[in-house]
Structures are given as C-alpha cells and as structure tokens.
Amino acid sequence: MYTVSCETHFDSAHFLLGYKGGCKNIHGHRWVVSASVSSETLIEEGGNRGMVIDFNEVKPVLNELVECFDHRLVVERDTLRSTTMLMLEEEEVEVAEVDFRPTVENFSKYFYDELKKRGVPVSKVRVYETPESYAEYCED
C-alpha cells in the first residue's frame, strides 16, 4: 500500500463546555492537519506516472478548509449565550461556529468528511492539537 500525505496548520482558540480540566477555559493551539491518500497501485500513464495522487489535488483543498478557522475562536454552536456572541461581534472577534464539540477527534472527522465531499480520495486525516498529541480518523 502506498500512502502520501499533505500537511497544513492553523492557529485558533477553543474551549470545552462542561469539561472538568483546564480545557474548560478558552485556550489556543497550533492545530496541524495531515491528510493522507492511499492506493495499492500507482498511476501508470501521463505526467503523474509513478504517483498515488498529485499533491496539487490535495494541498489547495486542505488549505481552503483550514483557512476559515485560522486566528479565530472556534465555538460549538449554541454553547455561548447570545449576549456573549453579540459582545464578541461588537469587539470584532472573529468566531468560527461549528456543529460539533471542537475536540481534536471531531476535527479529524470533520476534515476527513469535508475532503471527501470535495472529491479528494482521502484515506486518513490526522490532526495534532499539540506536537505530542493527535487524533486520526479513517473509515477502516
């Protein structure tokens, strides 16, 4: 099995409502997102001969997906009071609302699903929350 991976990153803040540890408070990460494409065979003809996929078919899509989170506060929809959201808007804080709890596990599935929707034949997504801690999502 051949596997190639593309990697990008984004910086954002989040918090986990109801969590009993430090992550209940707003804090930031440099999230690193790695998308992998696997194949048992390589392309046999043309300019991409000998490749699993051209990185240029993966990297721009991955970069576009992370852009909406970069330098934003990532918030699970309906976890902050409407008055808090209004205050953040008035202070021009950029907020990215998501329909999932912003854990590293959920981010890995989110990016996997979004890459699939955009036609990237992704086999696995790995998201690092810290240099030593990551989650992966694949459909195996």
Side-chain angles (χ1 to χ4, degrees):
M1 179 71 68
Y2 298 96
T3 301
V4 296
S5 300
C6 291
E7 192 172 278
T8 192
H9 68 272
F10 64 98
D11 299 301
S12 71
H14 75 141
F15 67 96
L16 300 176
L17 185 68
Y19 184 74
K20 299 298 181 202
C23 293
K24 69 181 178 185
N25 296 311
I26 295 174
H27 62 285
H29 295 285
R30 167 157 283 191
W31 304 85
V32 176
V33 182
S34 176
S36 299
V37 176
S38 298
S39 177
E40 299 229 0
T41 61
L42 300 177
I43 298 168
E44 294 183 7
E45 299 177 351
N48 293 349
R49 187 169 52 88
M51 297 179 184
V52 170
I53 192 170
D54 187 335
F55 286 121
N56 289 321
E57 293 180 45
V58 181
K59 187 77 170 182
V61 179
L62 188 58
N63 285 336
E64 180 185 321
L65 288 173
V66 302
E67 187 178 313
C68 67
F69 297 111
D70 194 36
H71 287 84
R72 288 174 174 76
L73 172 61
V74 181
V75 175
E76 182 179 10
R77 195 170 313 285
D78 299 325
T79 57
L80 291 177
R81 294 181 190 139
S82 59
T83 53
T84 303
M85 291 296 287
L86 271 174
M87 183 275 306
L88 290 169
E89 185 179 310
E90 287 173 4
E91 296 296 333
E92 299 180 3
V93 173
E94 293 188 43
V95 176
E97 284 189 281
V98 293
D99 293 322
F100 55 86
R101 185 172 170 92
T103 62
V104 68
E105 295 89 346
N106 284 329
F107 266 124
S108 65
K109 182 165 185 342
Y110 170 82
F111 288 120
Y112 181 94
D113 290 345
E114 290 300 315
L115 285 162
K116 282 280 192 187
K117 282 183 198 173
R118 288 164 173 77
V120 176
V122 64
S123 57
K124 175 177 67 177
V125 170
R126 176 182 285 186
V127 178
Y128 285 85
E129 185 176 77
T130 70
E132 300 85 23
S133 303
Y134 66 87
E136 291 181 339
Y137 184 83
C138 63
E139 289 187 342
D140 290 341

